[in-house]
Amino acid sequence: MKKLKAMNSETYRIRKFLDDQHGVRVALVNATEAVREMQSIQSTGPIATLLVGRAMVGATLMASQLKDGEVVSLYFKGDGPIEKVFAEASFEGGVRGYVAHPHIDLPDNKGSVDLGSAIGKGLLTVVRTHPKRQSSQRGTVEIQTGEIGDDIAYYLQQSQQIRSAIAVGVKMNEFGHIEAAGGVLIELLPAADANIEVIVEDQFRRAGSISEAFARGDSAEQILDRYLGGFKIHELPHPHVVAYTCKCSRERLLDAMELFTEEDLDDMILKKKPVVARCEFCGRQYALELAEISDIRNRRFSTKLH
Ligand SMILES: [Zn+2]
């Protein structure tokens, strides 16, 4: 059992590499278990699983290139039937995701699904935060294709001036079971010349599907050889494992109660119905006592409840 766990933690460790001579840095992540966990908690259908899964992989890759404790949130909001896709990941590999409509179906277009039309036209907002700092960094770009990877690359170019190549993928079998989920993010440092960009793009095009590679059980070295063969990359220490993580708490839920109006709170109190709220990310349930709801009401509104 112990051994199995050790193997798993190596499988899901986020790997980072650098070729300082050519100015290329790389992050690689196998997020299969994390995306499976999201799917089992939220019972997402195939389209939602693919989109949230890809966004979770993308957020994990982006966060791994930041600093200790930092968090990246990706928020896609479009005019397509899925409306919203959210994913959030920390430098340490904690990741969670959420979708507004987990069960939408799209017409099958000759056996291939047009994921882009599920999100439609709209905006991608990326927020970078640190729990110990007040300020956050926020950037918004137009959604390019809604396939997630292209949109992240576009954001990095437009908002951060980082040239990148990114592949994020989720592979499901015909029963909707996730066989693999993972991705690779290659970023060019400012020193990398245009020639390097052409080589990276060319290899990237020919590298094949990233989720197929993880499903086959290819090693990180085999995958990187396909994406960056010829580059002299060396691994950077990064002892973090990707895992589905939710930081919800009773306090945060009570904060959310601030959104309720005086009438809403009065209604809960009059009906003497304890409130059970469920976290949409992790399924955890929080029961609130009537006294707690009364406290919130009395703190916020001075009029007496009759
Ligand atoms: Zn939660």
Side-chain angles (χ1 to χ4, degrees):
M1 195 66 199
K2 220 173 182 180
K3 201 172 174 192
L4 188 73
K5 223 170 179 180
M7 267 171 63
N8 272 341
S9 69
E10 188 52 27
T11 303
Y12 299 116
R13 186 162 67 81
I14 299 161
R15 311 282 297 268
K16 286 168 59 174
F17 302 85
L18 179 70
D19 175 343
D20 31 21
Q21 195 190 335
H22 297 107
V24 175
R25 67 176 188 179
V26 188
L28 180 78
V29 62
N30 180 344
T32 307
E33 278 306 320
V35 177
R36 275 184 191 149
E37 189 145 354
M38 180 283 300
Q39 187 193 38
S40 86
I41 293 165
Q42 299 176 31
S43 310
T44 46
I47 307 284
T49 305
L50 287 173
L51 288 169
V52 185
R54 286 184 183 187
M56 284 168 62
V57 171
T60 309
L61 290 169
M62 289 167 81
S64 74
Q65 296 292 15
L66 303 180
K67 299 189 184 82
D68 294 28
E70 282 193 302
V71 172
V72 169
S73 308
L74 301 180
Y75 182 53
F76 293 84
K77 190 170 188 313
D79 62 4
I82 208 132
E83 262 185 67
K84 292 174 199 160
V85 171
F86 178 83
E88 184 183 79
S90 69
F91 176 82
E92 286 76 14
V95 61
R96 61 180 192 165
Y98 170 73
V99 62
H101 303 290
H103 302 296
I104 67 132
D105 241 337
L106 287 178
D108 197 313
N109 186 13
K110 290 179 194 147
S112 74
V113 175
D114 177 14
L115 272 187
S117 65
I119 291 186
K121 292 192 181 67
L123 298 174
L124 162 62
T125 299
V126 180
V127 185
R128 180 176 158 181
T129 49
H130 190 289
K132 292 201 179 101
R133 273 179 242 134
Q134 290 300 317
S135 62
S136 61
Q137 209 186 80
R138 178 184 290 261
T140 299
V141 294
E142 270 179 44
I143 292 170
Q144 297 299 296
T145 62
E147 301 260 339
I148 310 292
D150 300 336
D151 304 304
I152 291 172
Y154 184 72
Y155 162 80
L156 287 172
Q157 175 73 61
Q158 293 295 312
S159 211
Q160 306 284 313
Q161 288 76 51
I162 296 172
R163 293 166 290 166
S164 71
I166 181 168
V168 290
V170 177
K171 182 172 160 54
M172 276 185 293
N173 68 13
E174 57 190 303
F175 307 108
H177 180 76
I178 294 166
E179 291 181 351
V184 59
L185 171 62
I186 301 171
E187 293 176 321
L188 302 189
L189 304 177
D193 63 35
N195 190 30
I196 298 296
E197 200 173 335
V198 172
I199 297 170
V200 167
E201 277 173 5
D202 184 49
Q203 289 203 31
F204 214 85
R205 258 195 304 276
R206 289 185 284 116
S209 156
I210 187 82
S211 54
E212 294 274 359
F214 280 117
R216 273 197 306 271
D218 288 2
S219 68
E221 287 68 23
Q222 285 173 313
I223 294 171
L224 290 176
D225 192 47
R226 220 168 297 130
Y227 281 93
L228 284 169
F231 285 87
K232 291 188 175 60
I233 52 171
H234 62 271
E235 186 157 12
L236 302 172
H238 192 73
H240 301 295
V241 174
V242 61
Y244 198 80
T245 307
C246 188
K247 287 184 180 149
C248 62
S249 67
R250 195 173 183 80
E251 288 66 37
R252 286 194 191 192
L253 188 80
L254 288 171
D255 279 350
M257 300 281 292
E258 304 284 337
L259 298 172
F260 287 103
T261 63
E262 185 175 8
E263 288 73 32
D264 292 335
L265 295 170
D266 283 352
D267 196 48
M268 292 174 195
I269 296 162
L270 285 171
K271 284 183 179 153
K272 291 197 169 40
K273 217 169 78 186
V275 177
V276 178
R278 182 177 185 272
C279 172
E280 284 160 335
F281 288 96
C282 69
R284 216 175 288 161
Q285 295 199 343
Y286 297 92
L288 297 181
E289 299 300 325
L290 282 172
E292 285 176 298
I293 301 166
S294 291
D295 275 354
I296 292 170
R297 187 206 171 275
N298 294 338
R299 251 203 330 272
R300 286 180 54 210
F301 305 104
S302 52
T303 51
K304 287 270 176 288
L305 174 64
H306 302 291

